[in-house]
Amino acid sequence: MTRNTVSDSNTENTECVILLHGMGRTAFSMLPMEKYLQGHGYRTINRDYPSRSQTIEQIANNSIPKYIEECKKIANKIHFVTHSLGGIIIRYYLQSNSLPEGSRVVLLCPPNKGSEIADRLRDSAWYKWLTGPAGQQLTTDSNSVPNKLKSIACDVGVITGKRTLEPWFSRLIPGEDDGKVSVENARLAEMKDFLVVDHSHTFIMNSDDVKKQVVNFLRHGYFNR
């Protein structure tokens, strides 16, 4: 089932948050975050995008401009809250585009330096089927899409997890990890703030403490400790 939503709040707040789900997920995975943001006065756009059938470049060029145009109709400030692959997509888009002044981006569990899971499994048939062309682009080598991206001119906050529900994957990842991405590989040189929480990759966006931290960053540009 496809979920495409634009909040219909009558609030005078003119800030819009675009939510981007992760690999193989749908907009439903960001629904708890979306409702929380709406409850704190934000307009929201939460849509499915073809994470398993298009490359990172195609998704960024085909989907993001449409979401931004929708946001511009209801807000003068545009934020992004992304999960996993969604963070790489918005980083790619912002290589040659910009957001309105005062806009902020929160990346949840982003493979900013790639993932060792992609390194080890990229040639397997089931991984190709599960992750599509974008999954082939998330390796840790210097020529991967995440590692070729330059700094973006935007306030960026990163929240990543250190709890794994997938020990079979964690064995492939050095150091602390969330089951898919290491804490180290979630870091971004230009990030304004960085927070490690005791949650897993798959469900981090559902956590109440994470939702609160997201709103704090959107409002103030830092996480609350």
Side-chain angles (χ1 to χ4, degrees):
M1 184 180 294
T2 299
R3 174 182 171 80
N4 293 325
T5 67
V6 178
S7 65
D8 57 1
S9 171
N10 291 320
T11 178
E12 294 181 0
N13 192 308
T14 56
E15 298 185 41
C16 175
V17 180
I18 298 173
L19 298 106
L20 297 179
H21 61 79
M23 175 79 71
R25 309 292 290 274
T26 69
F28 278 108
S29 69
M30 301 298 281
L31 181 58
M33 180 68 73
E34 178 185 25
K35 289 185 174 181
Y36 188 85
L37 290 167
Q38 290 176 356
H40 284 75
Y42 293 94
R43 307 291 183 93
T44 59
I45 291 179
N46 181 24
R47 297 190 179 277
D48 298 339
Y49 67 86
S51 66
R52 296 176 56 194
S53 61
Q54 294 185 6
T55 64
I56 291 169
E57 297 89 342
Q58 289 172 328
I59 297 167
N61 292 329
N62 296 337
S63 297
I64 302 303
K66 293 186 293 186
Y67 305 159
I68 288 178
E69 285 305 308
E70 289 188 61
C71 253
K72 287 181 177 178
K73 295 176 182 178
I74 57 175
N76 57 20
K77 188 179 291 186
I78 299 173
H79 306 296
F80 277 82
V81 175
T82 71
H83 179 232
S84 194
L85 172 64
I88 308 305
I89 291 168
I90 187 55
R91 284 181 60 206
Y92 181 89
Y93 175 82
L94 291 176
Q95 297 295 291
S96 55
N97 298 277
S98 61
L99 298 176
E101 183 177 356
S103 299
R104 294 189 169 114
V105 175
V106 180
L107 312 180
L108 304 179
C109 299
N112 281 324
K113 300 175 186 174
S115 173
E116 287 82 3
I117 304 303
D119 292 344
R120 293 289 297 271
L121 302 178
R122 65 180 299 178
D123 293 327
S124 67
W126 73 269
Y127 180 82
K128 291 179 180 179
W129 173 81
L130 186 66
T131 67
Q136 299 292 302
Q137 299 178 291
L138 296 178
T139 59
T140 63
D141 66 81
S142 60
N143 290 319
S144 70
V145 170
N147 285 308
K148 289 172 66 177
L149 297 177
K150 298 178 182 179
S151 296
I152 55 177
C154 183
D155 283 355
V156 180
V158 176
I159 304 177
T160 197
K162 63 176 181 178
R163 177 188 296 182
T164 179
L165 300 179
E166 300 161 297
W168 49 90
F169 284 156
S170 292
R171 286 195 291 267
L172 306 177
I173 304 172
E176 289 186 315
D177 68 271
D178 63 7
K180 297 287 178 57
V181 179
S182 70
V183 169
E184 179 58 32
N185 282 2
R187 294 180 182 274
L188 191 64
E190 68 267 29
M191 61 188 179
K192 299 296 183 182
D193 206 349
F194 183 65
L195 187 64
V196 181
V197 295
D198 190 25
H199 297 298
S200 68
H201 187 93
T202 303
F203 301 112
I204 190 170
M205 75 291 285
N206 296 336
S207 304
D208 289 341
D209 57 331
V210 171
K211 296 173 194 172
K212 292 176 183 177
Q213 294 287 3
V214 167
V215 168
N216 201 80
F217 190 89
L218 295 181
R219 287 179 174 172
H220 306 295
Y222 57 83
F223 299 122
N224 188 26
R225 291 174 173 81

